Amino acid sequence: MTFKQRVIAAVVRQFGHPRGLGGRAAGWVMAHRRSNRQRSTWAASLLDVQPGDRVLEVGFGPGVAIAELAGHTTEGRVYGIDHSELMLHKAYKRNAAAIRQERVELIRTSVDQLPRFDLPLDAILAVNNVGFWPDPAEQLHKLRNLLRPGGRIALASQPRCPGATKDTTIRAAQELRDLLTGAGFTAASVHTLDLDPPVACVVATNPANGSTGQLRRQ
Ligand SMILES: C[S@@+](CC[C@H](N)C(=O)[O-])C[C@H]1O[C@@H](n2cnc3c(N)ncnc32)[C@H](O)[C@@H]1O
C-alpha cells in the first residue's frame, strides 16, 4: 500500500468510526460541510415523516438529521444509534433540548446489535453509512422487522471516495436498491440530489403482506 493509500484508508476509518483527534475533525466536517448538511436534510425529507411518527436513524454522526427529524415528529419519537462514543457526545449536544423533552433518544450501539423497541417504527433513515456495516443484507432484514407494515426506509449515499463521479453515485444507488429488495422491501424508488458528486437516496417500503424477503437469516 502506498503512503497516499494509507492516508486515505485512515481518513475513511475516521468516518466509519470517529474517535480521537481525527474523529473530531471528521465529525466537524460531517456537521459543517454544506453538502453534508444538505444531503442529511434532503434524505430525511424523503421519508415524509408525520408528527406522531416513530423514526430510527442508524449512524447519526453529529446528529444533523436527528435534529431535522425531531423538528417534524413533534408528537412522536426519534431514536438514533451510532457506535461512536464521540458522535454520541456531539449528537447529544446538538439535540439536548429534544432529548430533555423525551422526543429524541440516542443510543451507542452498532447496527448489528439493535436495541429493542416497544412498538413498531414508522420509518428508518441511514445516510452514508451502510457501506461501513457488517453484513448489510442481514442488518437490513433485521431493520425491516422493526418497521410496521407500510413503514418506510431511506438509504442515502454520496460516494466520497477519491475521483467519485455521477457514475459512482448511480452504482451506489443500484447496490442499495438491490440490498433493499433482497431484504424484502418493496416499491423502491431512487431519488437524486444534484451535488458534487450527486447524492442518491433509495426509499422503499415494508410490504403490508409481511413477506420475509430472500435473505432471511437469524
Ligand atoms: C460517514 S458518517 C455519516 C454520518 C451522518 N449520517 C452524516 O451523513 O453526516 C458514518 C457514521 O456511521 C456510524 N457507523 C458506522 N458503522 C456503524 C455501525 N456498524 N453501527 C452504528 N453506526 C455506525 C459512524 O460512527 C459514523 O458516525
Side-chain angles (χ1 to χ4, degrees), residues 80-97:
I81 63 166
D82 196 299
H83 64 179
S84 161
E85 187 171 0
L86 181 60
M87 290 302 103
L88 181 71
H89 179 69
K90 296 284 175 200
Y92 244 91
K93 275 173 84 175
R94 184 175 306 278
N95 293 282

Side-chain angles (χ1 to χ4, degrees), residues 37 40-41 44 49 57 60-74 78-80 90-99 103-104 106 125:
R37 300 182 62 87
S40 289
T41 308
V49 293
E57 184 185 10
F60 50 69
V64 173
I66 293 278
E68 179 69 19
L69 292 167
H72 293 281
T73 52
T74 43
V78 178
Y79 300 93
K90 296 284 175 200
Y92 244 91
K93 275 173 84 175
R94 184 175 306 278
N95 293 282
I99 290 169
R103 295 194 300 107
V104 167
L106 303 180
L125 175 68

